[in-house]
Amino acid sequence: GAGVSQTPSNKVTEKGKYVELRCDPISGHTALYWYRQSLGQGPEFLIYFQGTGAADDSGLPNDRFFAVRPEGSVSTLKIQRTERGDSAVYLCASSSDGSYNSPLHFGNGTRLTVT
Amino acid sequence: DQQVKQNSPSLSVQEGRISILNCDYTNSMFDYFLWYKKYPAEGPTFLISISSIKDKNEDGRFTVFLNKSAKHLSLHIVPSQPGDSAVYFCAAIFYGQNFVFGPGTRLSVLP
């Protein structure tokens, strides 16, 4: 079956611009996560959805970052007024039932470059 | 403050030999641990996990060992194959927390 799909795979934008990153989770997976990975580091938690609601957004670095999942499936991560420090690979993951220790299934990520 | 540490950024092993990847953690509340494998330009894929009530879990060529008193876990790959060359991430979690990942170890298996 299809895995987690993320689009675009690469995004180059200028400092100060707005970007949207999309995630299609595995069908039927209720839990959806966004992580960010910088060079040489492990994935860093941003936000977690259980269904349509953000169950935990404590990892969002500041109010320029926002994520939605209006119908409990597809999610969009939105970054306003991008900064060069936002450059990273943004990873989306889903899990089947949101049990706290259910393994995450990751997409291939969106590589964001802010120039 | 890194809660999950992987102190070896890289490791090289000869094909057929054992690969041992190490992970240390600082938060004693972690009760579930996972290993992920990542190829370039792909997302991490789940490899194996272990609950804190166990000290060993085995799946084919992969075995994870947990030493709770030392707050240390390790992943053993036997025998190592060239296709195992990837970056390996250790991750930990407890109820109410989200997965915390280490910085990764790049494994190179030499033919």
Side-chain angles (χ1 to χ4, degrees), chain B residues 14-66:
Chain B
Q14 210 69 36
E15 181 179 5
R17 306 295 291 268
I18 184 171
S19 295
I20 300 176
L21 297 107
N22 293 303
C23 176
D24 296 286
Y25 60 95
T26 58
N27 192 335
S28 57
M29 291 188 68
F30 287 136
D31 63 5
Y32 202 78
F33 305 88
L34 305 90
W35 284 93
Y36 281 81
K37 172 178 170 179
K38 184 183 183 304
Y39 293 120
E42 295 184 11
T45 56
F46 169 69
L47 200 54
I48 192 168
S49 62
I50 188 166
S51 164
S52 61
I53 63 173
K54 296 186 175 181
D55 55 18
K56 176 183 175 181
N57 189 26
E58 192 172 352
D59 184 1
R61 296 185 298 113
F62 302 91
T63 303
V64 56
F65 295 91
L66 175 63

Side-chain angles (χ1 to χ4, degrees), chain A residues 3-91:
Chain A
V4 176
S5 175
Q6 291 188 247
T7 55
S9 55
N10 281 283
K11 176 71 177 177
V12 180
T13 191
E14 290 180 351
K15 179 176 178 294
K17 299 290 188 183
Y18 168 83
V19 295
E20 288 189 353
L21 313 179
R22 176 187 167 107
C23 172
D24 279 273
I26 294 172
S27 178
H29 278 195
T30 58
L32 185 146
Y33 302 76
W34 284 97
Y35 277 77
R36 176 169 73 174
Q37 185 176 13
S38 301
L39 196 63
Q41 298 182 22
E44 174 190 4
F45 170 75
L46 295 177
I47 187 169
Y48 156 54
F49 289 89
Q50 182 62 258
T52 60
D56 183 351
D57 64 358
S58 62
L60 295 177
N62 51 60
D63 61 6
R64 295 187 298 105
F65 289 75
F66 190 71
V68 295
R69 194 186 186 199
E71 297 177 357
S73 178
V74 171
S75 177
T76 305
L77 178 66
K78 309 180 181 195
I79 310 174
Q80 299 177 326
R81 304 183 304 280
T82 51
E83 299 178 357
R84 292 196 181 89
D86 298 336
S87 297
V89 176
Y90 288 81
L91 294 164

